[in-house]
Amino acid sequence: MSRQHPQINLSRRSLFKFGAGAIGTSVLTAGLSSNLLAAENKAPAEDDITPDKAFQELLEGNERFVKAKRRNPHQTHSRLVEVAKGQKPFASVLGCADSRVPSEIVFDQGLGDLFVCRVAGNIATKEEIGSLEFGSLVLGSKVIMVVGHERCGAVDATIKGAEVPGQIGSLLEAIRPSVESSKGQSGDKLENACKANILAQLKKLKSSPVLSKLIEEEKLKIAGAYYDLDTGKISIVG
């Protein structure tokens, strides 16, 4: 990765609207590589898309996946060459690292379509939030979907109070408040906790000054979704 940090043009002008309190331009300059900035300036031309349209495109893609009618769009060599010049994803996904929930497949999308952050338990850490801020503010993603899923192992381990080694415990600590908030609800304990966790991560994302400003300007939509491992179906949560 290049260590050179050229002047930021369009991105910096956009970021100034949030003021130094929202995100420091010096921090942004130090943290983003020249390759990413070049990607912004040379992004391939895309049709303008509204947040609602982007949201609907995700749902329609999932419906095709469930019905085994995938189109497998944007997976050709020509698309590979096109997006090598720059990216302009229409949607972002904060998903679980679970190998059974690959975003591009379950939403029937392809190269350059989705800006994906994956972490066990689909938790919105500072790093994940920062990445999604970049995806929306700089790259132009119109929707962020937080995707939790059925029988999530990280949530289940939190419910059971599992003793875990290394840094795994940090994941369970982040999920614990959601488990506590879902106690006493009727129905399946694990499903309730998984959905409560989705809602908690939505709240974190919406508390971001960068993302909340984009929502206020109707440039971004944030939604939660629950993925059924048995059917592949996405259902909206929150």
Side-chain angles (χ1 to χ4, degrees):
M1 184 177 288
S2 172
R3 293 181 180 273
Q4 300 298 316
H5 305 296
Q7 293 294 317
I8 300 174
N9 41 53
L10 181 59
S11 304
R12 177 168 287 173
R13 291 198 296 272
S14 298
L15 286 164
F16 276 144
K17 291 190 285 186
F18 296 95
I23 181 169
T25 56
S26 61
V27 175
L28 181 71
T29 304
L32 303 179
S33 72
S34 58
N35 287 339
L36 288 175
L37 295 172
E40 178 210 353
N41 294 328
K42 298 180 182 179
E46 298 279 356
D47 294 334
D48 288 337
I49 185 171
T50 66
D52 285 340
K53 176 61 179 175
F55 178 73
Q56 190 60 34
E57 175 62 29
L58 288 178
L59 295 184
E60 290 175 359
N62 177 248
E63 184 176 1
R64 294 194 299 271
F65 171 69
V66 171
K67 294 180 178 180
K69 295 182 178 181
R70 290 170 57 202
R71 298 174 184 168
N72 301 311
H74 292 162
Q75 296 180 26
T76 62
H77 185 265
S78 61
R79 177 64 171 180
L80 174 70
V81 173
E82 179 187 12
V83 297
K85 302 172 185 177
Q87 61 174 320
K88 194 175 180 181
F90 77 88
S92 297
V93 176
L94 173 57
C96 183
D98 194 295
S99 62
R100 299 167 292 179
V101 197
S103 298
E104 282 82 2
I105 294 177
V106 303
F107 287 113
D108 192 24
Q109 302 301 322
L111 294 166
D113 292 330
L114 303 181
F115 189 78
V116 181
C117 295
R118 296 181 69 178
V119 59
N122 46 274
I123 54 176
T125 66
K126 291 185 295 184
E127 293 79 10
E128 303 292 339
I129 294 172
S131 296
L132 293 167
E133 287 174 342
F134 179 82
S136 299
L137 181 63
V138 179
L139 299 181
S141 174
K142 300 299 183 182
V143 61
I144 298 174
M145 188 170 284
V146 179
V147 182
H149 65 91
E150 182 183 28
R151 300 191 295 273
C152 179
V155 176
D156 190 37
T158 305
I159 292 174
K160 294 175 179 176
E163 296 276 339
V164 294
Q167 295 299 312
I168 301 174
S170 65
L171 300 170
L172 308 193
E173 284 301 315
I175 297 170
R176 197 176 311 282
S178 300
V179 170
E180 293 298 322
S181 70
S182 67
K183 286 183 176 179
Q185 296 178 358
S186 60
D188 184 82
K189 183 189 301 184
L190 179 54
E191 180 176 340
N192 291 340
C194 288
K195 291 181 176 179
N197 185 49
I198 294 168
L199 295 175
Q201 308 318 314
L202 282 179
K203 185 176 180 179
K204 287 182 181 179
L205 290 176
K206 290 180 179 180
S207 69
S208 157
V210 173
L211 299 179
S212 63
K213 180 70 172 177
L214 291 172
I215 293 172
E216 181 183 330
E217 295 174 346
E218 299 184 347
K219 296 178 180 178
L220 177 69
K221 182 184 185 76
I222 301 180
Y226 182 74
Y227 179 78
D228 189 313
L229 291 174
D230 301 304
T231 67
K233 178 70 175 177
I234 286 282
S235 57
I236 300 305
V237 177

